[in-house]
Amino acid sequence: MKLYISTIQPQEKDFMWIKNINDLDVLVHDGEATQIIVKNFLSRIDPVNVDAFYKKIISKLSLKGSIKFVELDFELATYKFNRNDLNIQQLTELLFKYGAIHSVFTLAVLRDMTTHNGLNIHQSYVCLLYTSPSPRD
């Protein structure tokens, strides 16, 4: 079973769309998912509940399964803003493009959460997901 956890419907048709935490509990058994994509969802969770939600997601993953988190790296976004590579409108669009947020993350925070919960990281990368017309980019 492949899961796509997001408030935005996936384009990938072979993934089961999970749009809220209740769906995850009802539709997926522990250890059942072979692949999980969590896109712009952790930032929608209240900071005090992020760790519990993260553990719940991991509990659904099969032993040889893979998980991919897609979240805005707040550190990189503010760095680009402070360098004037992003204006305030662009930063606001990045932060709130998919609705209200309750948490912000960096790659380092996601890495720490992952290893703290006993998972190995095979690949990680940062992408700001914003295309600027600036010739410097």
Side-chain angles (χ1 to χ4, degrees), residues 3-6 12 15 35-39 67-68 70:
L3 303 179
Y4 188 90
I5 303 173
S6 179
E12 299 89 348
F15 281 76
Q35 187 177 358
I36 301 174
I37 297 175
V38 183
K39 185 170 184 179
I67 189 166
K68 177 180 181 180
V70 180

Side-chain angles (χ1 to χ4, degrees), residues 71-73 75-77 106-108 111 124-129:
E71 289 285 340
L72 174 68
D73 186 313
E75 186 174 48
L76 177 60
T106 65
L107 183 60
R111 214 181 273 141
S124 66
Y125 61 92
V126 175
C127 176
L128 190 54
L129 299 176

Side-chain angles (χ1 to χ4, degrees), residues 5-133:
I5 303 173
S6 179
T7 56
I8 308 300
Q9 187 169 2
Q11 293 181 3
E12 299 89 348
K13 298 300 179 200
D14 57 335
F15 281 76
M16 177 187 286
W17 181 26
I18 304 292
K19 53 188 165 207
N20 65 57
I21 190 71
N22 297 330
D23 288 349
L24 185 62
D25 278 336
V26 171
L27 299 172
V28 184
H29 297 290
D30 286 355
E32 188 175 15
T34 56
Q35 187 177 358
I36 301 174
I37 297 175
V38 183
K39 185 170 184 179
N40 298 314
F41 201 84
L42 288 178
S43 56
R44 307 294 177 265
I45 308 295
D46 191 295
V48 298
N49 297 323
V50 167
D51 192 53
F53 180 70
Y54 193 92
K55 288 177 180 176
K56 182 177 294 294
I57 292 171
I58 290 171
S59 75
K60 305 302 179 181
L61 192 61
S62 67
L63 286 177
K64 296 202 177 204
S66 67
I67 189 166
K68 177 180 181 180
F69 289 93
V70 180
E71 289 285 340
L72 174 68
D73 186 313
F74 187 71
E75 186 174 48
L76 177 60
T78 55
Y79 171 78
K80 296 210 41 110
F81 174 74
N82 288 330
R83 284 189 27 172
N84 294 319
D85 291 340
L86 292 174
N87 63 38
I88 192 67
Q89 180 179 351
Q90 293 165 324
L91 180 62
T92 301
E93 181 181 320
L94 283 171
L95 287 171
F96 303 107
K97 183 176 184 175
Y98 300 106
I101 62 172
H102 297 279
S103 308
V104 292
F105 294 90
T106 65
L107 183 60
V109 168
L110 288 175
R111 214 181 273 141
D112 288 348
M113 285 173 57
T114 301
T115 56
H116 177 73
N117 283 288
L119 297 177
N120 295 323
I121 298 174
H122 294 283
Q123 181 182 27
S124 66
Y125 61 92
V126 175
C127 176
L128 190 54
L129 299 176
Y130 185 83
T131 305
S132 169

